[in-house]
Amino acid sequence: KDSLVEKLNELNFKTFIKKQDSMNHVKLIEFYKDDCANCKSFEKEYNDLAKQFKGIIKVTAVDCNSQKKICDEYSVKEFPTLKVIPPGGFGVQDYAGERTAKAIYPWVLKFHQHFVEKVTSEDLDAFLNKNAGKYKALLFTDKGKTPLIWRGLSVDLYNKMTLGVVQKEEKGVCSRYKVTKFPTILVVKPGQKKPIKFEEKVEYQELFEFLNRYQETFAMEQPGADEELAAKKPWLSESVPELTKLSAEDICYGTENVCVIVAATPTAEGKLDKGVYDEIAAAKSKFNPGNGKYQFMWLNTDREKAFVSATGLEAATTTILALRTGKRTRFAKSEAAFSEKALSEFLQRLPVGDVQYKPLKDGPPALEEIAAPEEKKK
């Protein structure tokens, strides 16, 4: 039930392998049968592996009883069979070692590439001045090797934000940023008054969302927003902010723009599923390249019961809708199950009026009270 292993089938397999925003990732696939004794005994090891690789390696599985066509295509004869598809989506590699997480872990990592730059006193200024208008992130560490979590983040943020690593021995860089504790993570850029420090628990999703606030979307779309404003109103710099009582008036409610909202059940951490987040961000880049025609947000259906009720949403289903709150408040829902294709098709239909809007006579739906960012415990 709590497995992080993604199940693949004929509907999503090809898309998963060739998906543009995951081409730099390593993909690990287990081919199994649900009535296979060896597969059942391997299940715990594979789930443990998925936890270790969370956010960094795509850990997946294909049931060859129900997905025979895929298994035949990959010439699978024994179960379980493990294969890796390296970055780029070509050159499938077979695993032939022990079926333990301890043995598989280093084998998979051999295929992992990253984009972290080593930063020293000599090249710090060059690092900062590359794409000078954009923020960079620095990890100060006392470990000999770059941590896997930082390497994984550099893949997810490739071409969006440059990540660097500074060793404890680089006294000049540590002194410049007054770093005395390790690890320390700072977001920096030339001419900055004060670096922005990551203060939360070092976990992949928390770090990704923190860094994503300051990647190119923030630098290019919100040039007037300074670091203090970003801390008080993080939704102004997030690529896909959450629709809440705090963020609604700034982005969605009372504007003439169309607000495109993906209503979804949150993760255990109260966040939007990263796969859904990435698909919304990709659609935003494609359909809203700086012209501000749409505002993209997500809604926590577990918390925002009044919104769910007013729009007739099914709380357990990820749903796409458009909300207009100008002179008349109205909304339109996509009837298709959420997917990258469904979102693209919905966005293509919006400008030509090929959606059916329904009125909200009481105006924009009420949203729950939540604490402001500065009131939350650090």
Side-chain angles (χ1 to χ4, degrees), residues 99-113:
R99 298 297 192 270
T100 63
K102 185 177 180 180
I104 298 165
Y105 183 90
W107 178 77
V108 174
L109 280 187
K110 289 193 304 183
F111 304 100
H112 185 259
Q113 62 181 22

Side-chain angles (χ1 to χ4, degrees), residues 291-364:
N291 62 12
K293 184 163 61 174
Y294 302 125
Q295 298 291 347
F296 289 81
M297 306 190 79
W298 79 279
L299 180 91
N300 180 336
T301 55
D302 279 359
R303 183 176 62 231
E304 305 298 349
K305 304 295 186 186
F307 192 107
V308 169
S309 176
T311 53
L313 296 173
E314 293 182 29
T317 304
T318 302
T319 307
I320 307 161
L321 68 151
L323 181 69
R324 307 194 72 156
T325 60
K327 294 178 181 178
R328 293 180 296 119
T329 302
R330 55 204 190 279
F331 74 97
K333 280 191 297 188
S334 169
E335 298 302 322
F338 179 84
S339 67
E340 189 173 11
K341 181 182 178 183
L343 181 56
S344 292
E345 290 178 350
F346 186 70
L347 291 169
Q348 287 168 356
R349 289 163 50 203
L350 279 178
V352 296
D354 188 22
V355 295
Q356 183 178 359
Y357 280 98
K358 296 180 180 179
L360 287 168
K361 294 180 181 178
D362 295 328

Side-chain angles (χ1 to χ4, degrees), residues 45 86 89 97 112 129 154 175 194 207 231 239 269 319 344:
E45 294 285 338
H112 185 259
N129 288 314
S154 76
S175 174
K194 185 180 179 182
L207 254 175
S239 185
E269 295 79 25
T319 307
S344 292

Side-chain angles (χ1 to χ4, degrees), residues 141-311:
T141 179
D142 55 0
K143 306 297 181 187
K145 293 182 178 179
T146 302
L148 183 59
I149 190 172
W150 201 242
R151 289 157 56 186
L153 286 163
S154 76
V155 175
D156 271 339
L157 292 167
Y158 180 63
N159 277 340
K160 296 178 181 178
M161 173 183 266
T162 305
L163 272 59
V165 62
V166 180
Q167 296 294 329
K168 180 181 180 181
E169 291 72 26
E170 289 294 331
K171 304 294 185 185
V173 186
C174 294
S175 174
R176 178 165 168 174
Y177 287 104
K178 299 178 181 177
V179 172
T180 56
K181 294 183 179 180
F182 304 90
T184 290
I185 295 167
L186 301 177
V187 170
V188 298
K189 77 170 184 177
Q192 183 185 40
K193 293 179 182 178
K194 185 180 179 182
I196 305 154
K197 188 176 181 181
F198 177 71
E199 303 277 10
E200 306 296 329
K201 185 178 180 182
V202 179
E203 291 183 348
Y204 198 93
Q205 191 65 21
E206 292 287 343
L207 254 175
F208 174 82
E209 292 184 7
F210 170 78
L211 296 176
N212 203 48
R213 293 180 198 168
Y214 301 98
Q215 53 107 329
E216 63 181 354
T217 302
F218 176 79
M220 304 308 290
E221 292 180 13
Q222 304 290 342
D226 60 14
E227 291 89 339
E228 186 177 353
L229 181 60
K232 289 181 178 177
K233 294 188 173 185
W235 51 87
L236 291 179
S237 55
E238 292 170 345
S239 185
V240 186
E242 182 183 352
L243 178 60
T244 66
K245 193 173 182 65
L246 296 174
S247 66
E249 296 297 332
D250 287 332
I251 301 175
C252 190
Y253 285 12
T255 70
E256 293 299 323
N257 292 333
V258 178
C259 198
V260 177
I261 302 164
V262 174
T265 303
T267 64
E269 295 79 25
K271 309 294 183 182
L272 178 63
D273 174 80
K274 187 177 178 302
V276 176
Y277 184 105
D278 288 345
E279 289 177 355
I280 301 170
K284 177 179 178 178
S285 177
K286 179 179 178 182
F287 289 92
N288 210 35
N291 62 12
K293 184 163 61 174
Y294 302 125
Q295 298 291 347
F296 289 81
M297 306 190 79
W298 79 279
L299 180 91
N300 180 336
T301 55
D302 279 359
R303 183 176 62 231
E304 305 298 349
K305 304 295 186 186
F307 192 107
V308 169
S309 176
T311 53

